[in-house]
Structures are given as C-alpha cells and as structure tokens.
Amino acid sequence: MRNVGIMGGTFNPIHIGHLIIAEKAREQFHLDEVIFMPSGTPYMKSENDMLPKDIRTEMTKLAIEDNPFFDISTIEVDREGKTYTYETLEQLRSNNDSNEYYFIMGADSLWKIEDWKEPQKIFANCHVLAAVRENRSSTEMEEQVAHLKDKYNASIFLLESSDIEISSTMIRNMVREGESIRYLVPEAVYDYIIKNKLYKVEQA
C-alpha cells in the first residue's frame, strides 16, 4: 500500500505556498508521493482570467520538476466539461484501489467543502489534510473537523504548516501592476510567466 497525496488546484499560477504545503504534508504524513492535479474546468470558479489548461499544466510541471517525490496528473484537464473532485477520487480509486489517498486543502476549504458536489463521496474516498491558518483559531478548526467527522464519518487531519499569505490572485494582480513576483513562484515558473507575458493587461 502506498500513501499518495493529492494537491489539486487551478494553479493560475502555481506558487511557493502550494509547494510548501505539499512538502509539509509529505513529510508529516510520510507520503510516498504527492500528485499535483491542475483542474480542468472547475464548476465553482469563473473562467474569467483563467489561463488555458495547457499553460497551467506546463507551469505546474516546471514548478515540481526538481522534486523526486512530486508528480503531475492530467486526469482533470483531460476530462471534458466541468470537473468534480469526487469524480476524480472515484477514478483514482478504480485505477488503483490499494493506495491510500490524502487530499490536501487549505483550512478555509473545510468550511466550503459541504458546498462541493457530493461531499460525502469525497470523504468516502480519501483522508483530508487541512492546512492550519492563523485567521482560524484552533477551537474553530477543531469544531469544524468534529462537525464533518460526525456528519460524514470523515477522516480529517490538521496539517502543521507555515501560514504563507500568498495567493494566485495576488500574483496575477502584481504582474498587472508591474510589481516583481520573483521568489513568490519557483524560478522556472517566473521565467515562463515573463517570457510568455502572462497576466498582462492588453492595451487598447
């Protein structure tokens, strides 16, 4: 049996916060690997400002290429139509039921996951690793975890991670404002964004 972490996201763009959380999860829970999974067409996010799948996938590949414990899956970007986490987990299970899957998410997603499609099927097919955030008290986190465990029989663990205040939205806005994003994204991703002039506002 292998312990496999799943790090999903639009990765628009991927940044060092994603990588740090994934590495912390791998280390803390002795994961054999962490699979980064760029989303295809997420049903809960607007496609406005969303770069094409192939570009987001390429940035993800560049970001993880120097870590032998990180890999990438295009299972969601290859799927037609909207993508749902529960379907992805069910597909992974059907492909290899001997693995134990650990879905890595930010703390705030613990409060949003009941609005996701088929949350009970998500919890049925994976353990959840939730990163602790400073804007959530330990009491709040414990109460929400207890609620989800009671309602869905969920397996949830809190991930001891640094609270890194970086977001993809922040990075896109900084690029538009002409501010440097060096060290907020891996160097290879930085070079790719600059070379391809991504996130620039088109001039009229």
Side-chain angles (χ1 to χ4, degrees):
M1 181 181 293
R2 301 177 74 248
N3 295 325
V4 179
I6 303 295
M7 187 77 181
T10 54
F11 301 136
N12 186 39
I14 191 169
H15 54 71
I16 62 167
H18 295 125
L19 302 178
I20 290 171
I21 290 174
E23 182 69 2
K24 287 287 188 179
R26 185 190 70 79
E27 182 179 52
Q28 186 179 339
F29 292 91
H30 309 289
L31 305 180
D32 294 292
E33 69 173 335
V34 176
I35 299 175
F36 284 73
M37 196 171 290
S39 60
T41 307
Y43 77 104
M44 294 186 72
K45 288 194 176 183
S46 169
E47 291 188 59
N48 295 335
D49 207 27
M50 183 83 71
L51 288 180
K53 302 174 183 180
D54 59 329
I55 293 178
R56 293 184 287 110
T57 299
E58 182 61 25
M59 286 193 290
T60 305
K61 289 178 180 177
L62 290 170
I64 67 173
E65 62 184 358
D66 63 345
N67 191 322
F69 296 102
F70 289 172
D71 202 353
I72 188 169
S73 168
T74 60
I75 186 175
E76 289 204 345
V77 296
D78 293 340
R79 187 183 300 148
E80 295 294 329
K82 301 291 185 180
T83 55
Y84 301 99
T85 299
Y86 87 91
E87 289 183 337
T88 299
L89 290 167
E90 287 183 337
Q91 186 172 344
L92 290 173
R93 279 281 183 210
S94 66
N95 291 342
N96 195 333
D97 193 43
S98 64
N99 288 341
E100 282 291 315
Y101 292 102
Y102 293 77
F103 191 82
I104 305 164
M105 63 171 59
D108 292 344
S109 292
L110 279 182
W111 277 263
K112 298 176 182 176
I113 196 167
E114 290 188 274
D115 295 325
W116 294 12
K117 189 81 168 178
E118 304 285 3
Q120 72 280 3
K121 292 183 179 179
I122 295 174
F123 291 122
N125 284 288
C126 70
H127 307 281
V128 168
L129 306 182
V132 176
R133 293 286 298 275
E134 287 183 2
N135 65 336
R136 298 284 189 181
S137 70
S138 58
T139 300
E140 285 181 301
M141 293 288 292
E142 290 167 3
E143 288 177 349
Q144 182 64 6
V145 168
H147 162 70
L148 295 172
K149 285 184 174 181
D150 181 63
K151 185 174 181 178
Y152 299 101
N153 194 31
S155 174
I156 304 173
F157 303 94
L158 296 182
L159 177 60
E160 298 169 6
S161 63
S162 302
D163 191 21
I164 302 169
E165 293 299 328
I166 302 174
S167 72
S168 297
T169 300
M170 180 186 79
I171 291 170
R172 295 195 301 269
N173 289 337
M174 290 176 69
V175 172
R176 293 192 186 96
E177 295 298 321
E179 299 176 31
S180 174
I181 59 168
R182 192 181 291 275
Y183 310 122
L184 297 178
V185 297
E187 186 174 357
V189 175
Y190 172 83
D191 291 340
Y192 185 86
I193 290 173
I194 299 303
K195 177 183 177 182
N196 292 284
K197 300 179 180 179
L198 303 180
Y199 306 118
K200 294 286 189 180
V201 177
E202 294 295 331
Q203 300 296 320

